[in-house]
Amino acid sequence: MEAMEDDSLDVKDDHNHNYCASSSSSSSSSSRKVRTYHSSQLSDVTTVCPPVSGAEPGARRGKHRHGGSSSSGGTKFVDSDSGSESSEVSETDCTALPPAAATVEGKFTLDSTSKFLLNAMAVEDYQKNHWPNLEKVIDRLLIQNPSDHISVSYAQIYSYIYKCVCQQHSELLYNDLTSKITNHLLRVSTRLQASPPETFIENFNIALTQYTTSLQCIVPVFMYLNKFYVESKLNRDLKDDLMKLFADHVAEKQVNKLLPLLIEAHSLPFKVQPSTMASVVTGLYSLRPEWAQLAPALFSGFIPQINPPAVESLLSDYAAHDQKLQMELSMNGFPRGDQSRKRASDDS
């Protein structure tokens, strides 16, 4: 019992509850034991370090002093009144904050200025890096001939478009695309307007064929824009929108000049190649079906069901129309051939 009392240590508590060993009854070994005992007791207690409301960080009673001789890289707490060392607490023990406090402390919010700067940086990156690369490829595709082969990295183009859509630049990309193609079509319409009547039909067919061929390359690479912006938000199709641009800026401006030339060429066989005539007439009908009513006789020669359905009471009129057509072909140098083995008709 006396041995235990000799080994004991008189521990005093001051008004700040800072424990210190009495120097009169302690030896160097017992002092280390007490410090070790209290350190182990403090390490078992979950330490909470919430901020003190209404006070600056420097006004707290316990000041943090980082570094020191601790092997674990911990933080030493020094009493503000006496400056004495109270305990050593590791930084990992100081992370047991309540969920609400941790959320408030760790929450990172962007004010309106920061959001504006981030968005401005993204738009600037689009205008300097993404759109110039896309614009060059679009220029090459719009002016290519159907028989030419242009080496284009479609995977890289698709990558640019994918990044633009993911960065919320779908509307900007769509407007730039339609504006670029509109300017191209305005130049095409100006060149067609200056074409002479002898080559106007052929030049119009070249412009239409070249444009539709270009769309066969442009629309697939802009598939991501079409799917997630044009179809989902505008409820339209990208190819239909781009074909409408040709109808508005080229065909509609030239249709009044084009239709009389087509009617004249249709009345004179082989004045224009039949394939060219068929391409132009079917192209006009696909752009605006109502244009067929401006020249039903012309469109009915290439597109079915333009004229109203046949009526039995008009069969005689149909026969007279066919006979007239055969007479016109015979007078224009298209003989009917050998008719000697054909049975004579009653009215001959």
Side-chain angles (χ1 to χ4, degrees):
M1 191 68 180
E2 292 179 358
M4 294 177 62
E5 291 178 356
D6 293 337
D7 295 336
S8 65
L9 182 64
D10 186 12
V11 180
K12 295 182 180 180
D13 182 10
D14 61 2
H15 66 280
N16 284 326
H17 302 288
N18 294 317
Y19 297 96
C20 59
S22 175
S23 59
S24 61
S25 61
S26 62
S27 63
S28 60
S29 61
S30 61
S31 177
R32 286 193 299 269
K33 291 179 180 180
V34 173
R35 182 176 290 112
T36 305
Y37 171 79
H38 286 287
S39 298
S40 63
Q41 293 295 323
L42 286 174
S43 62
D44 294 335
V45 180
T46 301
T47 306
V48 179
C49 304
V52 179
S53 60
E56 296 296 328
R60 300 179 185 176
R61 295 186 60 86
K63 298 182 180 179
H64 295 276
R65 186 178 65 189
H66 296 280
S69 60
S70 174
S71 61
S72 61
T75 303
K76 293 183 179 180
F77 284 82
V78 181
D79 181 70
S80 59
D81 295 336
S82 61
S84 61
E85 181 180 312
S86 59
S87 62
E88 296 182 1
V89 184
S90 64
E91 293 178 355
T92 56
D93 293 332
C94 195
T95 59
L97 292 173
T103 304
V104 174
E105 286 293 317
K107 187 175 181 180
F108 177 73
T109 57
L110 291 174
D111 56 6
S112 58
T113 305
S114 301
K115 290 181 179 179
F116 176 79
L117 291 176
L118 289 175
N119 187 46
M121 291 174 61
V123 173
E124 184 179 2
D125 181 61
Y126 164 82
Q127 294 175 345
K128 288 185 177 180
N129 299 324
H130 294 81
W131 173 244
N133 295 322
L134 293 173
E135 188 177 21
K136 293 177 183 178
V137 175
I138 294 171
D139 282 332
R140 296 179 63 187
L141 293 176
L142 287 175
I143 63 176
Q144 71 170 341
N145 292 323
S147 58
D148 294 342
H149 173 72
I150 297 180
S151 178
V152 176
S153 176
Y154 291 100
Q156 188 176 9
I157 301 173
Y158 186 84
S159 177
Y160 287 136
I161 297 170
Y162 177 83
K163 292 177 181 178
C164 292
V165 175
C166 291
Q167 293 177 1
Q168 306 299 320
H169 296 322
S170 301
E171 182 178 0
L172 184 60
L173 179 60
Y174 176 81
N175 293 334
D176 286 341
L177 175 64
T178 53
S179 177
K180 178 68 180 178
I181 294 180
T182 298
N183 293 332
H184 168 75
L185 293 176
L186 291 176
R187 293 191 295 269
V188 171
S189 181
T190 303
R191 290 195 298 267
L192 283 175
Q193 192 68 32
S195 298
E198 296 80 11
T199 60
F200 187 82
I201 297 177
E202 185 68 29
N203 291 337
F204 184 89
N205 181 57
I206 293 174
L208 178 60
T209 305
Q210 186 179 44
Y211 184 72
T212 54
T213 304
S214 301
L215 292 189
Q216 293 177 1
C217 300
I218 294 175
V219 173
V221 296
F222 281 85
M223 178 181 62
Y224 203 75
L225 176 68
N226 184 36
K227 181 178 180 181
F228 291 96
Y229 179 73
V230 182
E231 291 182 355
S232 61
K233 293 186 178 181
L234 303 182
N235 296 322
R236 299 198 299 264
D237 183 74
L238 181 60
K239 184 178 181 180
D240 294 341
D241 286 1
L242 298 182
M243 289 301 298
K244 186 177 183 299
L245 293 179
F246 188 91
D248 294 340
H249 300 290
V250 179
E252 188 173 6
K253 293 181 179 180
Q254 310 298 333
V255 67
N256 292 330
K257 180 180 179 180
L258 182 61
L259 285 180
L261 294 175
L262 289 173
I263 294 173
E264 179 184 359
H266 187 59
S267 62
L268 300 175
F270 298 103
K271 181 179 182 180
V272 178
Q273 291 292 330
S275 59
T276 302
M277 288 287 297
S279 176
V280 173
V281 174
T282 55
L284 290 175
Y285 184 78
S286 64
L287 294 173
R288 297 282 176 83
E290 59 269 20
W291 284 341
Q293 303 303 320
L294 300 177
L298 171 66
F299 282 84
S300 62
F302 301 92
I303 300 172
Q305 299 181 355
I306 295 298
N307 291 324
V311 181
E312 184 178 358
S313 59
L314 298 178
L315 290 178
S316 58
D317 295 338
Y318 301 150
H321 180 269
D322 291 341
Q323 290 179 357
K324 180 180 177 181
L325 179 61
Q326 291 176 2
M327 290 295 295
E328 291 176 353
L329 291 174
S330 299
M331 294 175 61
N332 290 325
F334 293 93
R336 300 178 62 181
D338 186 10
Q339 301 291 324
S340 60
R341 302 183 62 180
K342 184 177 179 181
R343 186 179 63 182
S345 58
D346 297 337
D347 55 352
S348 60

